[in-house]
Structure formats: C-alpha cells, structure tokens
Amino acid sequence: QVELVESGGGLVQAGGSLRLSCATSGSIFSINAMGWYRQAPGKQRELVARISSGGRTNYADSVKARFTISRDNAENTVHLQMNDLKPEDTAVYFCAATRRATFNFGVDYWGKGTLVTVSS
C-alpha cells in the first residue's frame, strides 16, 4: 500500500504563489506516474499536472506556464509550484499516483487533499 500526504495549501491573493508538496510512503517502488488533481466546489475532479517516473510532464491547458510539477525520487516527494494564481484556481488539490505510466486507466492511490483558496 502507498500513502500520500499533501501539504502547502492555504489562502493567497490573486497573483500570488504557493508550493504544494506530496510525501509518499509505503510500497513506493510500485509507483510510476504521479500527479495533482483538483476539485472545485460543484465541479468534477480534474487532472492539473502529471509527471512520469522519468520526469516527463503534462499540464492542463488552464495552468500551463503558471504551474510546474517536479519530482524528487530520492526524497519520494512530488511538488507543484503554482504561480500567478487566479480565483478560479481555488479548489482542493489532491496528490495522485499510479502504477502505470499515465492516469488514463485511473488512479491507484490518492492523498486526502489540501485546500487552496485564491482571493480576488
């Protein structure tokens, strides 16, 4: 089993920055791709950014050029640097991991989420 624990959420003004972190523990050898999803009130959960075990990244169009996902395999952590935050970025952000190369077939492990609130 794999445990994912997020940190770094909070309240920030529009235009500000936050850095989310996700610490992993357990059977981490089974993890391939990792990523961040978010869910805003009344909306479906959406994939924000993904990073493969080799470091390849993908981003949702809405966050490209503003968010950066990174992975420290030695520390078993994944980060999401969020710059130029907008009120529409307000959501609960979830760390996710899968044994596969992509999330196309679903997520195997979820964190409990961390709330990001962007005020206008």
Side-chain angles (χ1 to χ4, degrees):
Q1 188 66 347
V2 172
E3 183 179 15
L4 308 176
V5 179
E6 302 97 337
S7 61
L11 174 63
V12 64
Q13 287 188 329
S17 299
L18 281 175
R19 186 174 189 247
L20 304 183
S21 296
C22 175
T24 65
S25 62
S27 302
I28 57 177
F29 60 87
S30 66
I31 295 174
N32 190 331
M34 295 192 71
W36 291 91
Y37 284 72
R38 69 185 181 186
Q39 187 166 19
K43 294 189 177 181
Q44 288 191 330
R45 194 172 297 189
E46 62 173 351
L47 179 61
V48 174
R50 178 193 73 90
I51 186 166
S52 71
S53 57
R56 190 184 326 185
T57 59
N58 298 96
Y59 297 93
D61 288 343
S62 59
V63 306
K64 280 181 181 176
R66 299 189 299 121
F67 290 10
T68 302
I69 189 171
S70 60
R71 184 169 180 170
D72 186 335
N73 289 327
E75 296 290 331
N76 300 316
T77 58
V78 63
H79 305 284
L80 185 67
Q81 178 66 42
M82 305 185 294
N83 298 329
D84 189 24
L85 283 161
K86 304 175 180 181
E88 51 263 42
D89 295 318
T90 295
V92 178
Y93 284 71
F94 297 89
C95 182
T98 178
R99 295 186 292 270
R100 304 171 187 85
T102 73
F103 290 112
N104 292 343
F105 300 99
V107 174
D108 293 313
Y109 308 106
W110 287 104
K112 293 183 178 180
T114 185
L115 177 62
V116 171
T117 304
V118 184
S119 62
S120 57

